[in-house]
Amino acid sequence: MHDDEMSSVPSVPSAPSAPSTGELLAVLLARDFEDGEKVIIGTNSDIQLAACNLAREMQAPRLWWISGPGGMVNPVRDHLLSTADSGNIESSEAWMDLPNMIDFIDWKIHFFDFAILSALQVDRFGNINTVVVGDHARPKVRGPGTVGISALCGLARRFYVALTRHDRSAFVPRVDFLCGPGHMEGGNSREEAGLPAGGPKLVVSPLGVFDFEPASKAMRVRSVHPGVTLEQIHAATGFEMRVDGTPPVTAMPTAEELHLLRTRVDTRGTLRRKFP
């Protein structure tokens, strides 16, 4: 074949590299969002932000998200920028300053369909802790605090938890400091405490996807990531995880999902760099 003939042959795209932990969690979250829903996310939310923008590129083009700390609505970016960064303002559809945003969260959280959160700890009923690990007076680890998380978890129609590690210090029987109410003590205890129905829907981690058994509201294995066993999940979890039957293997990100994520949402590879 001559050189000019070779140059006319279309190149075949190479298979995408395996997803990093951050990319995997972003894709798994994005699949669960619906078109037209309203979302609130916090600071240092690379995975949450990527999930929202990826959903907007796929099945939910009218998904509406707002930055809790920054008040910016749907900034248009092809890379991940802190939700608190003022650089988001110029490309946002709307913007609310922080005092108004705090009032908006406290009094109108029912306006949002869901929140996406990370945590220091999550327990068997989906309660979360972002304050301290250990005794409050002498903590082993101090987190960012509760900020608006109590309102987000208590009043949003549902919330998601994304954790980049899965071990017994993160998945605990009972959180050391309850700042984000999930299903409280299980069963109907959330409603009995005066909170609206809702609470956590999914927890995603490097080992699997977890939901909550409808009656007991205890955390349950929904799917297991490829190469992970139930024994590994049980060994890495500080409480007895519910298992109904044989959980399916998690459907990994498709070539299309990774292509959109890497070429439209996270062109600088933040998820691969920060969460390998």
Side-chain angles (χ1 to χ4, degrees), residues 19 23-32 58 204-205 207-209 222-227 247-255 257-258:
E23 289 177 323
L24 172 61
L25 299 189
V27 170
L28 294 177
L29 289 168
R31 290 173 177 172
D32 206 64
M58 298 193 303
V204 294
S205 86
L207 298 185
V209 179
R222 179 172 177 172
S223 71
V224 177
H225 296 341
V249 175
T250 305
M252 295 299 280
T254 65
E257 289 170 329
L258 286 179

Side-chain angles (χ1 to χ4, degrees), residues 164-185:
T164 55
R165 61 191 178 91
H166 190 137
D167 56 40
R168 287 175 172 263
S169 66
F171 284 73
V172 296
R174 183 66 176 173
V175 290
D176 291 342
F177 189 101
L178 174 57
C179 65
H183 294 300
M184 303 296 285
E185 303 293 337

Side-chain angles (χ1 to χ4, degrees), residues 51 77 95 97 104 108 110 115 120 153 168 183 202 253 274:
R77 296 279 178 180
W95 175 67
D97 64 18
F104 192 61
K108 298 185 180 180
H110 60 277
L120 297 173
C153 294
R168 287 175 172 263
H183 294 300
L202 296 178
K274 294 179 68 172

